[in-house]
Amino acid sequence: LAKTTQPISMDSYEGQEVNITCSHNNIATNDYITWYQQFPSQGPRFIIQGYKTKVTNEVASLFIPADRKSSTLSLPRVSLSDTAVYYCLVGGGYGGATNKLIFGTGTLLAVQP
Amino acid sequence: GAVVSQHPSRVICKSGTSVKIECRSLDFQATTMFWYRQFPKQSLMLMATSNEGSKATYEQGVEKDKFLINHASLTLSTLTVTSAHPEDSSFYICSAPTTGELFFGEGSRLTVL
């Protein structure tokens, strides 16, 4: 199972763009990259998933270089409510993923007013 | 989107008693469910993989006789913490995969006195 490495914490201010990078040097060919958000005492919530290049949805963008050994989650114009822990996971995949996902340390994003 | 529901959200019990936590997939069938445990300020740790109609697969270091997992139907998996002790106090989270995405329950906060 691919191991992920992320910064333990990041600080930002409201309205700024935040980029969180995750390293996954041992990613396998059939692994997807998925980012989750977790608030205290809640289960993680899906943010975005991608395989290569760039993926964008209504809340975030995910940038994946050609070698897929890292990925960057981009949150545009963060607000106080974006303060949470963000996890990068590799594995699973489309078509009914049943592969177990191992969580890394995650990145605690603290957004200041 | 798909919904995974956990019950109870909070439970307090006396040391030595057993506690059952339910995890339901509300609008999809889950042949597989994952159980995680999370201690304060730590990441999620995978405990076991629950498979409908067969025995669960436990991660290394997780006592299968202490954490009983039953997956009797395609929509319900249960985790029973037997003879609970204060060190079992934690946040337990279930998840189920569908169409490439992993959906998480709300989590269950167990406090053992």
Side-chain angles (χ1 to χ4, degrees), chain A residues 34 36 38 41-46 49 87 89 92-106, chain B residues 10 31-32 34 36 38 42-46 49 59 91 93 97-107 109:
Chain A
T34 312
Y36 289 86
Q38 186 184 29
S41 296
Q42 294 186 25
R45 184 175 70 99
F46 174 90
Q49 182 181 74
Y87 293 98
L89 286 84
Y94 286 103
T98 57
N99 296 336
K100 60 186 181 183
L101 295 178
I102 304 300
F103 281 76
T105 58
Chain B
R10 293 177 182 272
T31 56
T32 299
F34 302 106
Y36 292 86
Q38 185 175 35
Q42 294 187 23
S43 183
L44 284 76
M45 185 191 79
L46 181 65
T49 301
E59 295 299 303
F91 191 55
I93 309 170
T98 179
T99 58
E101 188 178 326
L102 197 58
F103 290 91
F104 289 84
E106 309 94 328
R109 174 78 58 193

Side-chain angles (χ1 to χ4, degrees), chain B residues 2 7 12 34 40 54 59-60 64 73 86 106:
Chain B
H7 178 82
I12 300 173
F34 302 106
S54 64
E59 295 299 303
Q60 189 173 9
K64 62 180 181 181
S73 76
E106 309 94 328

Side-chain angles (χ1 to χ4, degrees), chain A:
Chain A
L1 296 171
K3 179 180 177 180
T4 60
T5 303
Q6 306 173 230
I8 296 296
S9 63
M10 292 183 69
D11 294 321
S12 183
Y13 292 95
E14 280 191 295
Q16 288 188 333
E17 176 185 82
V18 172
N19 296 308
I20 306 174
T21 297
C22 177
S23 297
H24 29 81
N25 292 315
N26 297 322
I27 189 169
T29 302
N30 59 346
D31 284 339
Y32 279 73
I33 300 159
T34 312
W35 285 78
Y36 289 86
Q37 176 192 55
Q38 186 184 29
F39 296 112
S41 296
Q42 294 186 25
R45 184 175 70 99
F46 174 90
I47 300 175
I48 197 166
Q49 182 181 74
Y51 184 81
K52 60 181 179 180
T53 64
K54 176 184 175 181
V55 179
T56 297
N57 62 21
E58 62 275 12
V59 298
S61 294
L62 179 59
F63 299 92
I64 305 169
D67 65 7
R68 305 202 323 123
K69 294 186 176 183
S70 66
S71 59
T72 298
L73 174 71
S74 182
L75 304 173
R77 297 183 296 282
V78 295
S79 63
L80 295 177
S81 62
D82 292 318
T83 293
V85 178
Y86 293 82
Y87 293 98
C88 157
L89 286 84
V90 294
Y94 286 103
T98 57
N99 296 336
K100 60 186 181 183
L101 295 178
I102 304 300
F103 281 76
T105 58
T107 298
L108 174 58
L109 172 64
V111 181
Q112 310 283 351

Side-chain angles (χ1 to χ4, degrees), chain B residues 45-83:
Chain B
M45 185 191 79
L46 181 65
M47 299 175 67
T49 301
S50 166
N51 302 296
E52 188 270 334
S54 64
K55 291 182 178 180
T57 303
Y58 290 81
E59 295 299 303
Q60 189 173 9
V62 178
E63 300 175 58
K64 62 180 181 181
D65 294 330
K66 180 168 186 62
F67 299 99
L68 301 179
I69 292 174
N70 183 278
H71 195 151
S73 76
L74 290 171
T75 60
L76 175 64
S77 175
T78 60
L79 168 67
T80 301
V81 183
T82 62
S83 186

Side-chain angles (χ1 to χ4, degrees), chain B residues 17-48:
Chain B
T17 61
S18 295
V19 174
K20 179 185 287 187
I21 300 170
E22 294 185 346
C23 179
R24 296 181 183 273
S25 56
L26 298 185
D27 52 0
F28 67 100
Q29 294 183 331
T31 56
T32 299
M33 286 187 177
F34 302 106
W35 286 95
Y36 292 86
R37 177 169 57 182
Q38 185 175 35
F39 292 108
K41 299 189 184 301
Q42 294 187 23
S43 183
L44 284 76
M45 185 191 79
L46 181 65
M47 299 175 67

